[in-house]
Tab-separated table of all heavy atoms in Angstrom:
chain	number	residue	atom	x	y	z
R	1	MET	N	-52.721	-110.002	86.566
R	1	MET	CA	-51.775	-110.678	87.327
R	1	MET	C	-51.066	-109.701	88.150
R	1	MET	O	-50.314	-108.855	87.799
R	1	MET	CB	-50.821	-111.388	86.405
R	1	MET	CG	-49.862	-112.301	87.063
R	1	MET	SD	-48.700	-113.201	86.007
R	1	MET	CE	-49.422	-113.346	84.356
R	2	THR	N	-51.380	-109.765	89.447
R	2	THR	CA	-50.642	-108.721	90.353
R	2	THR	C	-49.615	-109.375	91.168
R	2	THR	O	-48.959	-108.706	92.003
R	2	THR	CB	-51.783	-108.317	91.416
R	2	THR	OG1	-52.243	-109.306	92.061
R	2	THR	CG2	-52.907	-107.577	90.614
R	3	ARG	N	-49.177	-110.572	91.103
R	3	ARG	CA	-48.165	-111.224	91.828
R	3	ARG	C	-47.380	-112.057	90.968
R	3	ARG	O	-47.638	-112.391	89.879
R	3	ARG	CB	-48.758	-112.112	93.069
R	3	ARG	CG	-49.545	-113.249	92.456
R	3	ARG	CD	-49.988	-114.078	93.829
R	3	ARG	NE	-50.864	-115.160	93.344
R	3	ARG	CZ	-50.422	-116.343	92.916
R	3	ARG	NH1	-49.202	-116.488	93.008
R	3	ARG	NH2	-51.253	-117.260	92.489
R	4	ASP	N	-46.201	-112.424	91.416
R	4	ASP	CA	-45.242	-113.186	90.606
R	4	ASP	C	-45.652	-114.612	90.700
R	4	ASP	O	-45.281	-115.317	91.668
R	4	ASP	CB	-43.721	-113.031	91.108
R	4	ASP	CG	-42.757	-113.778	90.253
R	4	ASP	OD1	-43.190	-114.464	89.394
R	4	ASP	OD2	-41.561	-113.557	90.476
R	5	GLN	N	-46.377	-115.026	89.697
R	5	GLN	CA	-46.849	-116.500	89.699
R	5	GLN	C	-45.759	-117.495	89.594
R	5	GLN	O	-45.982	-118.703	89.787
R	5	GLN	CB	-47.974	-116.567	88.659
R	5	GLN	CG	-49.122	-115.746	89.041
R	5	GLN	CD	-50.371	-116.017	87.963
R	5	GLN	OE1	-50.216	-116.451	86.943
R	5	GLN	NE2	-51.480	-115.644	88.433
R	6	LEU	N	-44.566	-117.032	89.082
R	6	LEU	CA	-43.541	-117.982	88.955
R	6	LEU	C	-42.423	-117.862	89.978
R	6	LEU	O	-41.331	-118.361	89.815
R	6	LEU	CB	-42.941	-117.807	87.575
R	6	LEU	CG	-43.736	-117.918	86.373
R	6	LEU	CD1	-43.184	-117.503	85.087
R	6	LEU	CD2	-44.347	-119.245	86.292
R	7	GLU	N	-42.711	-117.262	91.113
R	7	GLU	CA	-41.857	-116.980	92.141
R	7	GLU	C	-41.116	-118.191	92.648
R	7	GLU	O	-39.865	-118.300	92.943
R	7	GLU	CB	-42.452	-116.285	93.260
R	7	GLU	CG	-41.532	-115.838	94.463
R	7	GLU	CD	-42.236	-115.045	95.518
R	7	GLU	OE1	-43.546	-114.738	95.358
R	7	GLU	OE2	-41.715	-114.832	96.597
R	8	ASP	N	-41.800	-119.245	92.809
R	8	ASP	CA	-41.232	-120.587	93.259
R	8	ASP	C	-40.854	-121.588	92.232
R	8	ASP	O	-40.559	-122.718	92.557
R	8	ASP	CB	-42.216	-121.194	94.354
R	8	ASP	CG	-42.416	-120.390	95.512
R	8	ASP	OD1	-41.652	-119.620	95.954
R	8	ASP	OD2	-43.673	-120.217	96.101
R	9	VAL	N	-40.925	-121.121	91.020
R	9	VAL	CA	-40.638	-121.992	89.970
R	9	VAL	C	-39.177	-121.760	89.332
R	9	VAL	O	-38.907	-120.694	88.959
R	9	VAL	CB	-41.661	-121.807	88.783
R	9	VAL	CG1	-41.376	-122.710	87.666
R	9	VAL	CG2	-43.087	-122.066	89.292
R	10	PRO	N	-38.309	-122.864	89.389
R	10	PRO	CA	-36.973	-122.716	88.844
R	10	PRO	C	-37.222	-122.377	87.248
R	10	PRO	O	-37.958	-123.044	86.595
R	10	PRO	CB	-36.384	-123.918	88.965
R	10	PRO	CG	-37.385	-124.963	89.237
R	10	PRO	CD	-38.570	-124.092	89.810
R	11	LEU	N	-36.477	-121.389	86.801
R	11	LEU	CA	-36.658	-120.948	85.355
R	11	LEU	C	-35.271	-120.434	84.882
R	11	LEU	O	-35.102	-119.283	84.568
R	11	LEU	CB	-37.666	-119.887	85.181
R	11	LEU	CG	-38.237	-119.727	83.829
R	11	LEU	CD1	-38.680	-120.942	83.250
R	11	LEU	CD2	-39.335	-118.747	83.878
R	12	SER	N	-34.200	-121.342	84.886
R	12	SER	CA	-32.955	-120.981	84.502
R	12	SER	C	-32.317	-121.625	83.266
R	12	SER	O	-31.269	-121.529	82.898
R	12	SER	CB	-31.894	-120.952	85.524
R	12	SER	OG	-31.857	-122.177	86.140
R	13	THR	N	-33.159	-122.640	82.758
R	13	THR	CA	-32.753	-123.469	81.665
R	13	THR	C	-33.863	-123.541	80.536
R	13	THR	O	-34.924	-123.288	80.869
R	13	THR	CB	-32.389	-124.894	82.033
R	13	THR	OG1	-33.688	-125.545	82.425
R	13	THR	CG2	-31.469	-124.950	83.233
R	14	THR	N	-33.489	-123.898	79.408
R	14	THR	CA	-34.481	-124.001	78.306
R	14	THR	C	-35.560	-124.951	78.695
R	14	THR	O	-36.693	-124.805	78.444
R	14	THR	CB	-33.725	-124.401	77.005
R	14	THR	OG1	-32.818	-123.458	76.624
R	14	THR	CG2	-34.640	-124.551	75.732
R	15	ALA	N	-35.035	-126.080	79.308
R	15	ALA	CA	-36.045	-127.182	79.655
R	15	ALA	C	-37.056	-126.618	80.633
R	15	ALA	O	-38.214	-126.955	80.512
R	15	ALA	CB	-35.311	-128.375	80.143
R	16	GLU	N	-36.598	-125.874	81.644
R	16	GLU	CA	-37.578	-125.325	82.663
R	16	GLU	C	-38.575	-124.372	81.923
R	16	GLU	O	-39.692	-124.367	82.267
R	16	GLU	CB	-36.706	-124.684	83.758
R	16	GLU	CG	-35.948	-125.629	84.599
R	16	GLU	CD	-34.998	-125.123	85.566
R	16	GLU	OE1	-34.641	-123.817	85.456
R	16	GLU	OE2	-34.595	-125.733	86.475
R	17	PHE	N	-37.980	-123.476	81.094
R	17	PHE	CA	-38.811	-122.597	80.323
R	17	PHE	C	-39.946	-123.393	79.646
R	17	PHE	O	-41.119	-123.045	79.621
R	17	PHE	CB	-38.044	-121.678	79.430
R	17	PHE	CG	-38.865	-120.793	78.539
R	17	PHE	CD1	-39.546	-119.722	79.078
R	17	PHE	CD2	-39.045	-121.159	77.079
R	17	PHE	CE1	-40.425	-118.893	78.268
R	17	PHE	CE2	-39.777	-120.230	76.354
R	17	PHE	CZ	-40.366	-119.183	76.893
R	18	GLU	N	-39.484	-124.362	78.938
R	18	GLU	CA	-40.532	-125.208	78.088
R	18	GLU	C	-41.411	-125.877	79.027
R	18	GLU	O	-42.681	-125.951	78.581
R	18	GLU	CB	-39.681	-126.209	77.312
R	18	GLU	CG	-38.900	-125.737	76.096
R	18	GLU	CD	-38.133	-126.686	75.286
R	18	GLU	OE1	-38.121	-127.937	75.629
R	18	GLU	OE2	-37.523	-126.299	74.276
R	19	ASP	N	-41.057	-126.254	80.111
R	19	ASP	CA	-42.111	-126.896	81.144
R	19	ASP	C	-43.141	-126.000	81.590
R	19	ASP	O	-44.285	-126.100	81.617
R	19	ASP	CB	-41.356	-127.410	82.343
R	19	ASP	CG	-40.482	-128.760	82.108
R	19	ASP	OD1	-40.716	-129.301	81.042
R	19	ASP	OD2	-39.684	-129.165	82.892
R	20	VAL	N	-42.708	-124.712	81.852
R	20	VAL	CA	-43.594	-123.586	82.205
R	20	VAL	C	-44.606	-123.236	81.096
R	20	VAL	O	-45.805	-123.058	81.198
R	20	VAL	CB	-42.902	-122.355	82.692
R	20	VAL	CG1	-43.771	-121.236	83.019
R	20	VAL	CG2	-42.152	-122.698	84.068
R	21	LEU	N	-43.936	-123.150	79.901
R	21	LEU	CA	-44.724	-122.745	78.786
R	21	LEU	C	-45.740	-123.959	78.357
R	21	LEU	O	-47.045	-123.614	78.158
R	21	LEU	CB	-43.802	-122.659	77.558
R	21	LEU	CG	-44.444	-122.104	76.202
R	21	LEU	CD1	-45.205	-120.698	76.429
R	21	LEU	CD2	-43.489	-121.927	75.204
R	22	ALA	N	-45.391	-125.162	78.457
R	22	ALA	CA	-46.301	-126.238	78.252
R	22	ALA	C	-47.370	-126.246	79.246
R	22	ALA	O	-48.609	-126.508	78.862
R	22	ALA	CB	-45.526	-127.603	78.352
R	23	GLU	N	-47.092	-126.067	80.579
R	23	GLU	CA	-48.229	-126.028	81.550
R	23	GLU	C	-49.193	-124.892	81.255
R	23	GLU	O	-50.396	-125.078	81.360
R	23	GLU	CB	-47.564	-125.955	82.839
R	23	GLU	CG	-48.722	-125.909	83.961
R	23	GLU	CD	-48.155	-125.901	85.343
R	23	GLU	OE1	-46.857	-125.960	85.652
R	23	GLU	OE2	-48.955	-125.738	86.259
R	24	ALA	N	-48.715	-123.751	80.895
R	24	ALA	CA	-49.572	-122.491	80.625
R	24	ALA	C	-50.438	-122.824	79.451
R	24	ALA	O	-51.565	-122.576	79.503
R	24	ALA	CB	-48.669	-121.329	80.312
R	25	VAL	N	-49.983	-123.410	78.300
R	25	VAL	CA	-50.747	-123.739	77.105
R	25	VAL	C	-51.823	-124.863	77.466
R	25	VAL	O	-52.938	-124.646	77.077
R	25	VAL	CB	-49.831	-124.226	75.930
R	25	VAL	CG1	-50.582	-124.751	74.904
R	25	VAL	CG2	-48.841	-123.009	75.473
R	26	GLU	N	-51.358	-125.879	78.166
R	26	GLU	CA	-52.390	-126.939	78.471
R	26	GLU	C	-53.444	-126.388	79.454
R	26	GLU	O	-54.632	-126.656	79.269
R	26	GLU	CB	-51.581	-128.112	79.088
R	26	GLU	CG	-50.817	-128.845	78.030
R	26	GLU	CD	-51.445	-129.414	77.031
R	26	GLU	OE1	-52.735	-129.869	77.162
R	26	GLU	OE2	-50.980	-129.508	75.882
R	27	ARG	N	-53.010	-125.666	80.380
R	27	ARG	CA	-54.060	-125.066	81.345
R	27	ARG	C	-55.094	-124.169	80.595
R	27	ARG	O	-56.297	-124.147	80.819
R	27	ARG	CB	-53.373	-124.324	82.504
R	27	ARG	CG	-52.737	-125.292	83.490
R	27	ARG	CD	-52.098	-124.471	84.673
R	27	ARG	NE	-53.119	-123.842	85.455
R	27	ARG	CZ	-52.748	-123.116	86.460
R	27	ARG	NH1	-51.515	-122.844	86.782
R	27	ARG	NH2	-53.677	-122.488	87.168
R	28	ALA	N	-54.530	-123.260	79.721
R	28	ALA	CA	-55.360	-122.417	78.888
R	28	ALA	C	-56.252	-123.213	78.026
R	28	ALA	O	-57.549	-122.919	78.022
R	28	ALA	CB	-54.615	-121.450	78.114
R	29	LEU	N	-55.919	-124.284	77.316
R	29	LEU	CA	-56.717	-125.067	76.536
R	29	LEU	C	-57.775	-125.880	77.440
R	29	LEU	O	-58.936	-125.794	76.950
R	29	LEU	CB	-55.825	-126.259	75.745
R	29	LEU	CG	-55.000	-125.689	74.681
R	29	LEU	CD1	-54.112	-126.743	74.140
R	29	LEU	CD2	-55.883	-125.141	73.509
R	30	ALA	N	-57.460	-126.300	78.638
R	30	ALA	CA	-58.340	-126.990	79.435
R	30	ALA	C	-59.440	-125.864	79.935
R	30	ALA	O	-60.696	-126.279	80.161
R	30	ALA	CB	-57.706	-127.510	80.669
R	31	ALA	N	-59.175	-124.632	80.020
R	31	ALA	CA	-60.076	-123.529	80.331
R	31	ALA	C	-60.963	-123.038	79.231
R	31	ALA	O	-61.753	-122.122	79.284
R	31	ALA	CB	-59.349	-122.474	81.065
R	32	GLY	N	-60.588	-123.584	77.916
R	32	GLY	CA	-61.400	-123.070	76.814
R	32	GLY	C	-60.744	-121.913	76.070
R	32	GLY	O	-61.457	-121.243	75.272
R	33	VAL	N	-59.567	-121.541	76.469
R	33	VAL	CA	-58.782	-120.431	75.667
R	33	VAL	C	-58.198	-120.863	74.434
R	33	VAL	O	-57.497	-121.925	74.419
R	33	VAL	CB	-57.722	-119.899	76.682
R	33	VAL	CG1	-56.999	-118.759	75.988
R	33	VAL	CG2	-58.346	-119.379	77.903
R	34	GLU	N	-58.594	-120.225	73.273
R	34	GLU	CA	-57.886	-120.598	72.097
R	34	GLU	C	-56.550	-119.941	72.023
R	34	GLU	O	-56.408	-118.754	71.872
R	34	GLU	CB	-58.862	-119.969	70.935
R	34	GLU	CG	-58.223	-120.290	69.510
R	34	GLU	CD	-57.880	-121.774	69.369
R	34	GLU	OE1	-58.838	-122.568	69.290
R	34	GLU	OE2	-56.784	-122.094	69.063
R	35	VAL	N	-55.509	-120.791	72.154
R	35	VAL	CA	-54.239	-120.230	72.223
R	35	VAL	C	-53.488	-120.112	70.967
R	35	VAL	O	-52.357	-119.544	70.749
R	35	VAL	CB	-53.282	-121.229	73.240
R	35	VAL	CG1	-53.867	-121.129	74.582
R	35	VAL	CG2	-53.210	-122.607	72.740
R	36	ARG	N	-53.998	-120.832	69.913
R	36	ARG	CA	-53.280	-120.849	68.604
R	36	ARG	C	-53.387	-119.506	67.985
R	36	ARG	O	-54.331	-118.736	68.127
R	36	ARG	CB	-54.065	-121.915	67.640
R	36	ARG	CG	-53.893	-123.355	68.056
R	36	ARG	CD	-54.922	-124.208	67.397
R	36	ARG	NE	-55.016	-125.504	67.844
R	36	ARG	CZ	-55.789	-125.880	68.867
R	36	ARG	NH1	-56.473	-125.044	69.411
R	36	ARG	NH2	-55.805	-127.095	69.273
R	37	GLY	N	-52.257	-119.185	67.356
R	37	GLY	CA	-52.146	-117.861	66.680
R	37	GLY	C	-51.043	-117.040	67.340
R	37	GLY	O	-50.219	-117.540	68.160
R	38	ALA	N	-50.959	-115.803	66.990
R	38	ALA	CA	-49.991	-114.802	67.521
R	38	ALA	C	-50.439	-113.982	68.700
R	38	ALA	O	-51.531	-113.565	68.631
R	38	ALA	CB	-49.555	-113.837	66.266
R	39	TRP	N	-49.510	-113.895	69.590
R	39	TRP	CA	-49.870	-113.154	70.854
R	39	TRP	C	-48.848	-112.053	70.880
R	39	TRP	O	-47.659	-112.327	70.976
R	39	TRP	CB	-49.645	-114.061	71.957
R	39	TRP	CG	-50.766	-115.111	72.097
R	39	TRP	CD1	-50.766	-116.206	71.383
R	39	TRP	CD2	-52.007	-115.064	72.818
R	39	TRP	NE1	-51.976	-117.057	71.720
R	39	TRP	CE2	-52.579	-116.267	72.537
R	39	TRP	CE3	-52.554	-114.243	73.703
R	39	TRP	CZ2	-53.878	-116.635	73.114
R	39	TRP	CZ3	-53.752	-114.572	74.192
R	39	TRP	CH2	-54.441	-115.668	73.904
R	40	VAL	N	-49.322	-110.707	70.937
R	40	VAL	CA	-48.353	-109.594	71.057
R	40	VAL	C	-48.595	-109.014	72.401
R	40	VAL	O	-49.650	-108.885	72.829
R	40	VAL	CB	-48.634	-108.536	69.937
R	40	VAL	CG1	-47.736	-107.363	70.091
R	40	VAL	CG2	-48.471	-109.229	68.610
R	41	PHE	N	-47.552	-108.740	73.277
R	41	PHE	CA	-47.656	-108.201	74.497
R	41	PHE	C	-46.418	-107.562	74.949
R	41	PHE	O	-45.319	-107.813	74.433
R	41	PHE	CB	-48.025	-109.312	75.526
R	41	PHE	CG	-47.062	-110.482	75.631
R	41	PHE	CD1	-46.015	-110.446	76.640
R	41	PHE	CD2	-46.964	-111.502	74.701
R	41	PHE	CE1	-44.980	-111.392	76.717
R	41	PHE	CE2	-46.061	-112.565	74.827
R	41	PHE	CZ	-45.027	-112.495	75.697
R	42	LYS	N	-46.521	-106.696	76.015
R	42	LYS	CA	-45.333	-106.094	76.706
R	42	LYS	C	-45.062	-106.762	77.958
R	42	LYS	O	-46.066	-107.286	78.609
R	42	LYS	CB	-45.705	-104.573	76.910
R	42	LYS	CG	-45.923	-103.726	75.744
R	42	LYS	CD	-46.307	-102.268	76.115
R	42	LYS	CE	-46.559	-101.483	74.969
R	42	LYS	NZ	-46.879	-100.100	75.355
R	43	THR	N	-43.819	-106.875	78.300
R	43	THR	CA	-43.482	-107.383	79.600
R	43	THR	C	-43.697	-106.391	80.635
R	43	THR	O	-43.058	-105.334	80.555
R	43	THR	CB	-41.962	-107.857	79.576
R	43	THR	OG1	-41.780	-108.788	78.526
R	43	THR	CG2	-41.653	-108.620	80.855
R	44	PRO	N	-44.535	-106.733	81.615
R	44	PRO	CA	-44.934	-105.613	82.685
R	44	PRO	C	-43.579	-105.161	83.336
R	44	PRO	O	-42.636	-105.975	83.666
R	44	PRO	CB	-45.779	-106.360	83.646
R	44	PRO	CG	-46.293	-107.506	82.887
R	44	PRO	CD	-45.256	-107.873	81.940
R	45	GLY	N	-43.358	-103.902	83.527
R	45	GLY	CA	-42.289	-103.299	84.319
R	45	GLY	C	-41.007	-103.231	83.475
R	45	GLY	O	-40.027	-102.995	84.040
R	46	SER	N	-41.099	-103.413	82.212
R	46	SER	CA	-39.853	-103.339	81.371
R	46	SER	C	-40.126	-102.673	80.077
R	46	SER	O	-41.423	-102.535	79.789
R	46	SER	CB	-39.109	-104.601	81.187
R	46	SER	OG	-39.826	-105.416	80.224
R	47	THR	N	-39.287	-102.477	79.129
R	47	THR	CA	-39.545	-101.886	77.871
R	47	THR	C	-39.624	-103.009	76.814
R	47	THR	O	-39.676	-102.689	75.582
R	47	THR	CB	-38.405	-100.991	77.422
R	47	THR	OG1	-37.158	-101.670	77.481
R	47	THR	CG2	-38.281	-99.779	78.422
R	48	HIS	N	-39.638	-104.275	77.211
R	48	HIS	CA	-39.572	-105.377	76.184
R	48	HIS	C	-40.992	-105.545	75.631
R	48	HIS	O	-42.094	-105.505	76.192
R	48	HIS	CB	-39.196	-106.730	76.848
R	48	HIS	CG	-37.914	-106.662	77.342
R	48	HIS	ND1	-36.716	-106.918	76.529
R	48	HIS	CD2	-37.313	-106.468	78.574
R	48	HIS	CE1	-35.681	-106.907	77.128
R	48	HIS	NE2	-35.893	-106.620	78.404
R	49	HIS	N	-41.117	-105.690	74.353
R	49	HIS	CA	-42.302	-106.064	73.535
R	49	HIS	C	-42.038	-107.436	72.874
R	49	HIS	O	-40.860	-107.690	72.293
R	49	HIS	CB	-42.504	-104.951	72.508
R	49	HIS	CG	-42.878	-103.771	73.055
R	49	HIS	ND1	-41.943	-102.684	73.286
R	49	HIS	CD2	-44.078	-103.104	73.389
R	49	HIS	CE1	-42.512	-101.638	73.850
R	49	HIS	NE2	-43.844	-101.919	73.792
R	50	TRP	N	-43.017	-108.185	72.879
R	50	TRP	CA	-42.885	-109.622	72.324
R	50	TRP	C	-43.948	-110.016	71.396
R	50	TRP	O	-45.128	-109.507	71.566
R	50	TRP	CB	-42.696	-110.629	73.449
R	50	TRP	CG	-41.756	-110.385	74.448
R	50	TRP	CD1	-41.902	-109.712	75.666
R	50	TRP	CD2	-40.374	-110.700	74.442
R	50	TRP	NE1	-40.847	-109.717	76.324
R	50	TRP	CE2	-39.736	-110.237	75.531
R	50	TRP	CE3	-39.641	-111.469	73.434
R	50	TRP	CZ2	-38.319	-110.560	75.897
R	50	TRP	CZ3	-38.244	-111.612	73.866
R	50	TRP	CH2	-37.700	-111.153	74.921
R	51	GLU	N	-43.654	-110.916	70.429
R	51	GLU	CA	-44.583	-111.653	69.706
R	51	GLU	C	-44.365	-113.120	69.883
R	51	GLU	O	-43.177	-113.628	69.592
R	51	GLU	CB	-44.682	-111.183	68.299
R	51	GLU	CG	-45.854	-112.022	67.510
R	51	GLU	CD	-45.885	-111.456	66.039
R	51	GLU	OE1	-45.226	-110.693	65.668
R	51	GLU	OE2	-46.739	-112.042	65.379
R	52	VAL	N	-45.323	-113.921	70.289
R	52	VAL	CA	-45.276	-115.321	70.372
R	52	VAL	C	-46.210	-116.001	69.448
R	52	VAL	O	-47.362	-115.588	69.499
R	52	VAL	CB	-45.405	-115.725	71.919
R	52	VAL	CG1	-45.446	-117.242	71.879
R	52	VAL	CG2	-44.332	-115.166	72.738
R	53	GLU	N	-45.857	-116.814	68.604
R	53	GLU	CA	-46.892	-117.544	67.804
R	53	GLU	C	-46.936	-119.106	68.211
R	53	GLU	O	-45.915	-119.669	68.466
R	53	GLU	CB	-46.450	-117.471	66.425
R	53	GLU	CG	-47.497	-117.971	65.468
R	53	GLU	CD	-47.135	-117.634	63.970
R	53	GLU	OE1	-46.208	-117.039	63.654
R	53	GLU	OE2	-48.117	-117.982	63.198
R	54	ILE	N	-48.214	-119.549	68.390
R	54	ILE	CA	-48.339	-120.939	68.797
R	54	ILE	C	-49.172	-121.592	67.581
R	54	ILE	O	-50.091	-121.213	67.213
R	54	ILE	CB	-49.227	-120.858	70.131
R	54	ILE	CG1	-48.530	-120.187	71.234
R	54	ILE	CG2	-49.534	-122.383	70.588
R	54	ILE	CD1	-49.331	-120.180	72.461
R	55	LEU	N	-48.401	-122.634	67.167
R	55	LEU	CA	-48.981	-123.405	66.150
R	55	LEU	C	-49.027	-124.858	66.709
R	55	LEU	O	-48.242	-125.370	67.314
R	55	LEU	CB	-48.093	-123.467	64.888
R	55	LEU	CG	-47.745	-122.124	64.369
R	55	LEU	CD1	-46.600	-122.160	63.340
R	55	LEU	CD2	-48.895	-121.483	63.731
R	56	GLU	N	-50.120	-125.628	66.356
R	56	GLU	CA	-50.289	-127.020	66.797
R	56	GLU	C	-49.672	-127.829	65.595
R	56	GLU	O	-50.144	-127.612	64.449
R	56	GLU	CB	-51.771	-127.397	67.104
R	56	GLU	CG	-51.809	-128.761	67.426
R	56	GLU	CD	-53.323	-129.113	67.967
R	56	GLU	OE1	-54.230	-128.275	67.675
R	56	GLU	OE2	-53.485	-130.248	68.474
R	57	LEU	N	-48.828	-128.669	65.861
R	57	LEU	CA	-48.143	-129.602	64.915
R	57	LEU	C	-49.019	-130.867	64.737
R	57	LEU	O	-49.530	-131.415	65.740
R	57	LEU	CB	-46.683	-129.922	65.182
R	57	LEU	CG	-45.752	-128.627	65.458
R	57	LEU	CD1	-44.493	-129.184	65.931
R	57	LEU	CD2	-45.664	-127.818	64.218
R	58	LEU	N	-49.010	-131.357	63.548
R	58	LEU	CA	-49.677	-132.609	63.341
R	58	LEU	C	-48.731	-133.911	63.767
R	58	LEU	O	-47.578	-133.687	63.697
R	58	LEU	CB	-49.937	-132.918	61.770
R	58	LEU	CG	-50.861	-131.947	61.123
R	58	LEU	CD1	-51.005	-132.167	59.630
R	58	LEU	CD2	-52.269	-132.119	61.789
R	59	LYS	N	-49.286	-134.839	64.301
R	59	LYS	CA	-48.582	-135.991	64.656
R	59	LYS	C	-48.120	-136.735	63.559
R	59	LYS	O	-48.722	-136.818	62.538
R	59	LYS	CB	-49.346	-136.901	65.737
R	59	LYS	CG	-49.688	-136.183	67.019
R	59	LYS	CD	-50.181	-137.202	67.876
R	59	LYS	CE	-50.482	-136.462	69.331
R	59	LYS	NZ	-50.847	-137.383	70.353
R	60	GLU	N	-47.007	-137.402	63.689
R	60	GLU	CA	-46.485	-138.306	62.624
R	60	GLU	C	-47.441	-139.507	62.390
R	60	GLU	O	-47.916	-140.045	63.307
R	60	GLU	CB	-45.043	-138.877	62.912
R	60	GLU	CG	-44.082	-137.696	63.002
R	60	GLU	CD	-43.620	-137.188	61.672
R	60	GLU	OE1	-43.828	-137.801	60.678
R	60	GLU	OE2	-43.428	-136.015	61.691
R	61	PRO	N	-47.636	-139.990	61.156
R	61	PRO	CA	-48.563	-141.033	61.002
R	61	PRO	C	-48.244	-142.332	61.786
R	61	PRO	O	-49.045	-143.138	62.183
R	61	PRO	CB	-48.539	-141.315	59.438
R	61	PRO	CG	-47.970	-140.144	58.873
R	61	PRO	CD	-47.172	-139.472	60.013
R	62	ASP	N	-46.939	-142.495	62.009
R	62	ASP	CA	-46.506	-143.718	62.778
R	62	ASP	C	-46.635	-143.598	64.335
R	62	ASP	O	-46.180	-144.428	64.998
R	62	ASP	CB	-45.028	-144.107	62.369
R	62	ASP	CG	-44.083	-142.958	62.859
R	62	ASP	OD1	-44.458	-142.109	63.412
R	62	ASP	OD2	-42.916	-143.185	62.530
R	63	GLY	N	-47.273	-142.473	64.618
R	63	GLY	CA	-47.419	-142.271	66.208
R	63	GLY	C	-46.307	-141.502	66.846
R	63	GLY	O	-46.230	-141.202	68.017
R	64	GLY	N	-45.214	-141.235	66.097
R	64	GLY	CA	-43.929	-140.584	66.658
R	64	GLY	C	-44.309	-139.140	66.739
R	64	GLY	O	-45.268	-138.689	66.414
R	65	GLU	N	-43.378	-138.393	67.353
R	65	GLU	CA	-43.453	-137.044	67.425
R	65	GLU	C	-42.571	-136.251	66.585
R	65	GLU	O	-41.545	-136.663	66.062
R	65	GLU	CB	-43.157	-136.619	68.989
R	65	GLU	CG	-44.282	-137.166	69.842
R	65	GLU	CD	-44.060	-136.712	71.252
R	65	GLU	OE1	-43.730	-135.501	71.475
R	65	GLU	OE2	-44.296	-137.407	72.267
């Protein structure tokens, strides 16, 4: 990734962050990327190190979330 892919995306609230995250997960799944599990990475250009874990939740039997 050589450019800021989120340059034009508002990202100042929890809801906006969740929208971006949901889109990234769905696009990866559609491309055949196995996203489940732990992802460890460094934030480019900073000293931050992160671990993100993605778990798929089961749907409620009544169809609720």
